[in-house]
């Protein structure tokens, strides 16, 4: 059974006659599926779904990729220990095996694909750890790699890393000291699959609730966090402006407190009239030590209250090559009870439409889409007592003009720009419209 847990463990050690107490958070998880434990057989292609992992040779050198999902290690923590644990699938001899372990340098590693070199061609961490596993003479026995804390640290320190993201560990033969033999581990999912074990601590606050980047579907919130290791109190900052929360300016400082929770959106608390739908809020916790002066500035976290209008359209706004039998869908606006859909091939008609029939579901199936067309659609939301007009979205069907350059919604375009596009399949000429 896949294990995915957080444990709090405390150690007390005697070092040079002094007692040193410290704590660590332990997170570990198995590979979740056979598709996340793969062999990049280099010149022979990808092998996804193998029952075992040959390290590093299976009729030729190969690179192993292990993808771990929903990693609950916060950004910026101190990773004190980490390793991958394998279970022996086949007994092997005493021949020396020399491997190198690194990781994919990506804040949210994508799934493996059945494309040549899909592991070995991924961007890699600068941190690389040698591992020369002892002989594996007995099946079913578990063995751990060298400490890969430097690899994990580099991954979780990237911009864009967040709790819940995926990371990839990569294992390959040591090119300087090539292996003479093999080690064979269980692949796939389950209790004997590869296990990633990480121990970390932090002087900063971590594990915010709501999670960083979350959509919070209420007009109040109880903020909470895990405190830094040595914190005795916490400076709380909260507001609607990122720069002010980051710098602690304006009225974003909400006070110093011992508790690790803070309410917003209630009478008597910040934003007493409630948090506003369609607004993003930012907050930061600085950790204060017992001397009152040592401070560890926290990360700026954010969460958003959904807008009252529909959002997250599918197909996305500006989508191309949408199938002719497509079903449209969206995420309902905050508090929405009913929805009115407007659809057509004329922007102004769709934008100005009113009085459409209400419906209770968040899907819509248009009739008889045609090739080489641009379609527009809009969803209005009713939350009792009012209707909220949605924005007009658009998509094209196969054969229509597409792939605009600059891209739809592009920012930072040069003052002098050349526009280009992929022509419609049967187009013989083009009419261009441009304005502000």
């Amino acid at each position: 059974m896949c294990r995915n847990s957080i444990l709090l463990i405390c150690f007390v050690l005697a070092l040079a006659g002094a007692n040193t107490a410290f704590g660590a958070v332990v997170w570990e998880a198995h590979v979740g599926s056979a598709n996340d434990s793969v062999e990049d057989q280099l010149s022979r292609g990808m092998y996804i779904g193998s029952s075992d992992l040959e390290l590093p040779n299976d009729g030729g050198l190969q690179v192993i990729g292990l993808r771990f999902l929903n990693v609950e290690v916060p950004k910026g923590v101190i990773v004190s220990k980490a390793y991958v644990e394998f279970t022996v699938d086949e007994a092997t001899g005493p021949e020396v095996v020399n491997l190198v372990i690194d990781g994919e340098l990506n804040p949210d590693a994508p799934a493996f694909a059945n494309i040549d070199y899909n592991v070995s061609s991924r961007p890699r961490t600068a941190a690389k750890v040698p591992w020369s596993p002892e002989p594996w003479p007995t099946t079913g026995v578990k063995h751990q790699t060298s400490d890969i804390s430097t690899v994990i640290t580099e991954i979780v320190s990237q911009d864009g890393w967040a709790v819940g993201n995926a990371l990839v560990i990569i294992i390959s033969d040591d090119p300087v000291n090539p292996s003479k033999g093999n080690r064979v581990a269980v692949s796939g999912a389950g209790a004997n699959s590869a296990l990633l074990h990480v121990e970390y601590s932090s002087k900063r606050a971590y594990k915010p609730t709501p999670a960083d980047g979350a959509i919070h579907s209420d007009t109040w919130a109880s903020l909470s966090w895990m405190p830094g290791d040595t914190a005795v109190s916490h400076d709380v900052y909260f507001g609607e402006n990122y720069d002010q929360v980051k710098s602690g300016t304006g009225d974003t400082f909400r006070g110093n407190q011992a508790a690790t929770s803070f309410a917003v959106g209630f009478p008597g608390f910040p934003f007493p009239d409630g948090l506003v739908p369609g607004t993003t809020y930012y907050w930061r916790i600085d950790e204060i030590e017992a001397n009152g002066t040592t401070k560890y500035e926290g990360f700026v976290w954010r969460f958003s209250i959904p807008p009252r209008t529909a959002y997250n359209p599918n197909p996305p706004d500006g989508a191309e090559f949408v199938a002719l039998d497509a079903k449209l869908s969206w995420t309902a606006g905050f508090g929405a009870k009913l929805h009115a859909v407007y659809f057509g091939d004329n922007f102004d008609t769709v934008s100005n439409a009113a009085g459409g029939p209400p419906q209770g579901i968040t899907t819509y199936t248009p009739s008889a889409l045609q090739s080489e067309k641009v379609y527009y659609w809009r969803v209005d939301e009713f939350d009792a007592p009012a209707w909220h007009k949605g924005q007009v979205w658009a998509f094209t069907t196969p054969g229509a003009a597409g792939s605009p350059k600059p891209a739809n919604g592009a920012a930072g375009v040069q003052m002098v720009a050349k526009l280009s596009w992929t022509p419609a399949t049967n187009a013989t000429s083009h009419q261009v419209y441009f304005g502000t």
Side-chain angles (χ1 to χ4, degrees):
M1 185 177 198
C2 181
R3 179 172 44 168
N4 188 333
S5 59
I6 292 239
L7 308 172
L8 181 63
I9 59 175
C10 294
F11 300 84
V12 179
L13 296 183
L15 297 175
N19 289 328
T20 303
F22 62 97
V25 177
V26 176
W27 177 87
E28 57 185 23
H30 288 278
V31 165
S33 77
N35 293 337
D36 291 324
S37 177
V38 303
E39 298 169 325
D40 180 348
Q41 299 182 321
L42 302 177
S43 61
R44 295 166 294 144
M46 289 287 294
Y47 190 1
I48 297 177
S50 173
S51 63
D52 56 22
L53 300 171
E54 284 86 2
L55 306 167
N57 196 310
D58 185 16
L61 284 179
Q62 58 185 17
V63 177
I64 303 302
L66 303 170
R67 183 168 179 258
F68 297 93
L69 307 181
N70 301 315
V71 178
E72 296 182 10
V73 179
K75 180 180 178 180
V77 297
I78 302 167
V79 180
S80 56
K81 184 177 182 180
Y83 57 80
V84 176
E85 183 177 85
F86 292 102
T87 302
V88 178
D89 187 65
E90 295 178 12
T92 51
E95 295 84 359
V96 173
V97 171
N98 298 311
L99 305 168
V100 175
I101 306 173
D102 55 14
E104 179 179 352
L105 193 61
N106 188 318
D108 193 10
F112 296 120
N114 193 18
I115 301 171
D116 288 353
Y117 310 110
N118 188 247
V119 177
S120 56
S121 65
R122 295 187 175 212
R124 311 282 269 275
T125 57
K128 301 183 187 300
V129 176
W131 178 39
S132 298
E134 66 273 29
W136 292 3
T138 307
T139 60
V141 174
K142 298 183 184 299
H143 295 268
Q144 298 171 359
T145 67
S146 306
D147 182 8
I148 59 170
S149 56
T150 56
V151 175
I152 302 300
T153 296
E154 186 172 349
I155 293 173
V156 304
S157 297
Q158 297 175 90
D159 289 340
W161 174 264
V163 168
N165 285 7
L167 67 77
V168 164
I169 298 298
I170 299 173
I171 304 176
S172 52
D173 194 36
D174 186 342
V176 176
N177 192 11
S179 299
K180 305 299 183 183
N182 244 9
R183 302 291 182 263
V184 184
V186 173
S187 185
N192 289 327
S193 65
L195 172 81
L196 176 60
H197 174 102
V198 181
E199 299 178 18
Y200 67 86
S201 61
S202 179
K203 295 288 189 180
R204 298 178 176 182
Y206 61 99
K207 288 187 70 64
T209 300
D212 187 27
I215 299 295
H216 182 69
S217 297
D218 217 325
T219 56
W220 67 276
S222 178
L223 313 180
S224 63
W225 59 93
M226 292 294 291
D229 292 346
T230 55
V232 298
S233 68
H234 322 277
D235 284 350
V236 180
Y237 298 85
F238 184 86
E240 299 171 88
N241 184 288
Y242 173 89
D243 291 332
Q244 289 183 349
V245 171
K246 175 66 177 174
S247 62
T249 56
D251 62 353
T252 61
F253 178 63
R254 306 297 178 174
N256 176 268
Q257 61 180 54
T260 56
S261 63
F262 186 79
V264 293
F266 277 118
F269 294 90
F271 297 87
D273 295 329
L275 305 178
V276 179
T279 303
T280 296
Y281 293 93
Y282 303 91
W283 59 299
R284 188 184 101 215
I285 305 297
D286 289 354
E287 298 294 68
I288 314 299
E289 292 196 346
N291 60 18
T293 58
T294 302
K295 177 184 295 189
Y296 297 94
E297 182 176 315
F299 296 105
V300 176
W301 298 314
R302 65 182 175 88
F303 65 90
S304 299
I305 311 301
R308 295 194 185 278
T309 54
Y311 63 104
N312 285 345
N314 184 34
D317 187 28
E320 300 177 354
F321 313 111
V322 173
L324 300 183
D325 60 352
K327 176 185 287 189
L328 314 183
S329 64
W330 62 94
T331 300
F334 182 84
K337 308 300 182 184
L338 296 172
H339 325 277
V341 182
Y342 304 95
F343 183 87
D345 59 6
N346 181 280
F347 177 91
D348 290 333
T349 300
V350 172
S351 180
N352 297 326
Q359 63 177 57
I361 60 176
T362 56
T363 60
Y364 177 79
T365 303
S367 59
L369 295 181
Q370 300 176 21
S371 298
E372 302 184 44
K373 294 273 286 185
V374 180
Y375 287 101
Y376 304 92
W377 60 300
R378 189 186 101 217
V379 179
D380 291 355
E381 300 286 72
F382 181 70
D383 61 3
W387 282 98
H388 302 278
K389 184 177 180 179
Q391 72 178 88
V392 177
W393 300 312
F395 64 86
T396 61
T397 53
S403 303
K405 295 181 181 179
N408 182 36
V413 177
Q414 297 296 316
M415 294 292 290
V416 177
K418 182 178 181 179
L419 311 182
S420 63
W421 61 92
T422 300
T425 302
N426 297 315
T428 58
S429 64
H430 317 281
Q431 290 184 335
V432 180
Y433 302 85
F434 184 84
T436 59

